[in-house]
Amino acid sequence: MPNLSSWSEEGKPERLLQRSIPKDDPEPKAISCYGLYLPELDGKTWLRFVDGRPVSSITTRFLSWCCEKLVVAGKRVLLLIWDNASWHVSREVRRWLGSHNRELKYSGRGVRIVSCFLPKQSPWLNAIELKWIHGKRKVVEPDRLLGAYELADRDCRVFGCPHYEHLSVPRKVV
């Protein structure tokens, strides 16, 4: 839960309560968000949501999507600053990054990705973290639980970006 600072009539700040989702709620029980902060492109932030938790295969799909958009914007290199989350440092993601950059080297087309990992427990070194904190504070509501899609819509409005289709892990059908 984000820290919430507020003023109220009684002079006591509002407190957020952790609420439970009803079992029959059709919306996803969890939602994750990938974001790319682009100070070079007028400070834009691109968001993609995931119904569920972030995993390596979703991370590579997000990076691929970002590269496609960066090519259109005329960029050639993405300096990716991120923390040591398991879906960032996994073997699958490292292999994908290596393969992506090798393919780019031979074809000469696309966006090269340079990964820079932050030291552990130092989120303040990443420029997007401050944006996340302010974004969380702008979308929460202390009186009620927001649905996953309403929360995603609010986040997109706060960051001024379109609400793209959610990423998901393809299900294997047997």
Side-chain angles (χ1 to χ4, degrees), residues 71-102:
V71 164
V72 171
K75 299 299 177 183
R76 297 183 51 187
V77 178
L78 169 60
L79 177 61
L80 191 61
I81 301 172
W82 54 7
D83 59 19
N84 291 282
S86 61
W87 53 91
H88 295 163
V89 298
S90 71
R91 180 178 294 143
E92 179 180 347
V93 170
R94 289 191 321 256
R95 285 182 180 162
W96 184 89
L97 285 169
S99 172
H100 170 82
N101 285 336
R102 277 190 305 276

Side-chain angles (χ1 to χ4, degrees), residues 21-102:
I21 299 172
K23 294 211 183 287
D24 59 343
D25 189 350
E27 289 200 24
K29 305 299 183 234
I31 190 167
S32 303
C33 180
Y34 283 89
L36 183 65
Y37 174 49
L38 302 155
E40 295 262 332
L41 294 177
D42 299 327
K44 291 183 180 181
T45 302
W46 295 340
L47 300 180
R48 289 297 298 268
F49 292 89
V50 178
D51 295 335
R53 61 190 184 92
V55 293
S56 300
S57 60
I58 297 290
T59 302
T60 57
R61 288 184 55 206
F62 175 71
L63 291 174
S64 179
W65 176 79
C66 289
C67 288
E68 290 169 12
K69 289 182 62 88
L70 287 167
V71 164
V72 171
K75 299 299 177 183
R76 297 183 51 187
V77 178
L78 169 60
L79 177 61
L80 191 61
I81 301 172
W82 54 7
D83 59 19
N84 291 282
S86 61
W87 53 91
H88 295 163
V89 298
S90 71
R91 180 178 294 143
E92 179 180 347
V93 170
R94 289 191 321 256
R95 285 182 180 162
W96 184 89
L97 285 169
S99 172
H100 170 82
N101 285 336
R102 277 190 305 276

